[in-house]
Amino acid sequence: MSNIHIPKGWEMPENEVTPESVYLNRREVLKAMGMVSLFAAGALPACSPPQSVIDAHPEINLTDLEKTVYPANRITKYKLDRRITAEAVAGSYNNFYEFSEVKEDVDHHAQRLQTRPWQVEVTGLVKTPKVYDLDDFLKRFILEERFYRLRCVEAWAMAVPWTGFPLKALLDDVEPLPNATHVRFESFHKPFLAQGQFAFWQPWPYAEALTIKEAVNELVLMATGIYGHPLSKQHGAPIRLVVPWKYGFKSIKSITKIELVDYEPSTFWNTLQPLEYGWEANVDPNVPHPRWPQTKEELIGTREVRLTQKYNGYSDFVASLYT
Ligand code: MTE
């Protein structure tokens, strides 16, 4: 994240970008067939997966359990003010420094990540520490689809349909102790698989953190899916965080450990470059990055430039956290 990257390779003509209406129409077809709600309710065990997933991704092999949960019920409460970014654009312009510093190469290198089996340990200041595997998440929590904006600190932005469940539901499941003040998230550490982690001067594994008040905010999602199917590896399969009012680096990918603690944990970018990447990292157009302004953002795929909004437009949900 050392420089603002001027997008080049992934640019797509306007007419190749999936407008929200087209993405929604696909869902409407499924809905008309009665499939979305039935799948969301888990009422169709191990039957044919929804056509949209099959059509768009013949390469994705859904497990029987996944066939019952994707696509999830869409929550319309969280509105977008822009089109959904085309999946091909969002999936070929990624920040995942474990695999590459070149955004356009991440997709290729990230395919090495083995995402099954995958366990997430939830530990620390909780009454009932637990280790979940991926299927535990899919069975235990109700997945929903939400359209969110994502604003990268590098001044590019996108809008994507995530599938996941609120982090609060997970925290409720482990019962935080009263003295827990922060939640720390950690990614995998496998330098021989993810060669970016050989950079010994960087504080691997990637880690991020929220205050507990932030963590239980309704917007914070544990995402297991994107574009109606399980997360693609370059987006942080099999499970990642999504915190839409903070710069994208807070939304840590491929989580293996969540720890409740009573101190402010150190985080990857804030440790590496504290003067450039703050710990709190709320989107704020009035606070420039030391090397570029944050007043505007460029939408990947269309290159449309928009004014950046305080808290990335989510003030109604989060401003009260910071008064
Ligand atoms: N998580 C891990 N483990 N490693 C990373 O390098 N990059 C962050 C965040 N999560 C990163 C990460 C940054 S800087 C951004 S902008 C978003 O992931 C990008 O998410 P995307 O590639 O799905 O768009």
Side-chain angles (χ1 to χ4, degrees):
M1 292 205 297
S2 47
N3 277 309
I4 289 194
H5 182 92
I6 304 300
K8 290 197 186 76
W10 42 260
E11 288 155 18
M12 295 182 76
E14 177 80 7
N15 60 7
E16 287 180 33
V17 176
T18 313
E20 187 172 341
S21 55
V22 171
Y23 181 78
L24 290 178
N25 279 343
R26 276 193 220 126
R27 294 188 58 95
E28 289 316 308
V29 173
L30 291 173
K31 246 191 191 140
M33 294 159 69
M35 295 182 80
V36 170
S37 51
L38 286 174
F39 274 95
L44 294 178
C47 62
S48 315
Q51 290 307 313
S52 62
V53 177
I54 291 179
D55 292 349
H57 295 280
E59 78 286 3
I60 294 182
N61 288 317
L62 296 180
T63 65
D64 285 348
L65 179 60
E66 286 169 340
K67 287 173 192 170
T68 68
V69 295
Y70 293 98
N73 229 2
R74 187 164 75 85
I75 305 294
T76 51
K77 181 174 177 188
Y78 311 104
K79 309 275 183 228
L80 286 183
D81 58 351
R82 57 197 63 175
R83 292 166 164 216
I84 285 178
T85 305
E87 181 171 6
V89 172
S92 55
Y93 189 74
N94 301 95
N95 277 336
F96 205 164
Y97 282 77
E98 286 87 335
F99 291 104
S100 177
E101 293 189 1
V102 180
K103 292 174 178 37
E104 293 84 352
D105 291 351
V106 168
D107 173 18
H108 173 72
H109 295 300
Q111 301 314 313
R112 283 202 294 273
L113 186 63
Q114 291 304 315
T115 54
R116 275 181 188 273
W118 191 276
Q119 292 192 322
V120 181
E121 182 188 7
V122 187
T123 183
L125 300 174
V126 295
K127 201 165 155 196
T128 46
K130 288 185 184 161
V131 176
Y132 299 83
D133 73 22
L134 195 59
D135 287 353
D136 294 331
F137 287 127
L138 302 185
K139 284 183 205 153
R140 200 170 188 97
F141 302 106
I142 298 170
L143 298 193
E144 55 192 46
E145 186 179 59
R146 300 182 183 191
F147 295 172
Y148 278 167
R149 296 178 287 277
L150 183 143
R151 169 60 155 84
C152 180
V153 72
E154 298 163 320
W156 56 265
M158 62 177 187
V160 298
W162 300 106
T163 301
F165 56 91
L167 174 62
K168 182 175 185 308
L170 175 59
L171 295 180
D172 286 346
D173 203 40
V174 293
E175 302 173 276
L177 297 176
N179 55 334
T181 58
H182 291 77
V183 187
R184 178 181 181 274
F185 306 85
E186 192 177 295
S187 275
F188 64 91
H189 193 208
K190 294 185 174 173
F192 285 95
L193 184 125
Q195 300 196 352
Q197 295 185 327
F198 279 126
F200 59 85
W201 58 94
Q202 296 176 346
W204 301 108
Y206 197 100
E208 259 306 337
L210 298 170
T211 66
I212 199 145
K213 274 191 181 166
E214 292 172 332
V216 298
N217 184 275
E218 65 172 270
L219 291 180
V220 182
L221 211 59
M222 293 291 290
T224 59
I226 191 167
Y227 294 97
H229 57 73
L231 273 180
S232 320
K233 292 185 178 177
Q234 64 269 33
H235 285 297
I239 187 159
R240 73 176 287 174
L241 192 69
V242 182
V243 191
W245 76 93
K246 292 179 178 281
Y247 289 119
F249 64 84
K250 278 272 166 190
S251 294
I252 178 173
K253 298 178 171 182
S254 305
I255 296 171
T256 56
K257 186 175 176 188
I258 299 177
E259 194 177 0
L260 282 90
V261 296
D262 60 1
Y263 57 91
E264 185 180 280
S266 56
T267 60
F268 184 85
W269 286 107
N270 184 242
T271 303
L272 201 56
Q273 285 164 292
L275 300 179
E276 305 210 347
Y277 307 109
W279 191 93
E280 193 173 69
N282 290 331
V283 174
D284 190 346
N286 302 314
V287 179
H289 183 277
R291 289 182 284 126
W292 58 83
Q294 293 290 24
T295 47
K296 294 178 184 167
E297 61 204 46
E298 185 173 302
L299 310 190
I300 60 171
T302 62
R303 306 205 61 177
E304 187 189 337
V305 174
R306 292 278 186 108
L307 289 177
T308 289
Q309 301 171 62
K310 177 109 170 150
Y311 302 121
N312 200 21
Y314 294 100
S315 291
D316 288 352
F317 297 95
V318 299
S320 62
L321 289 172
Y322 305 104
T323 49

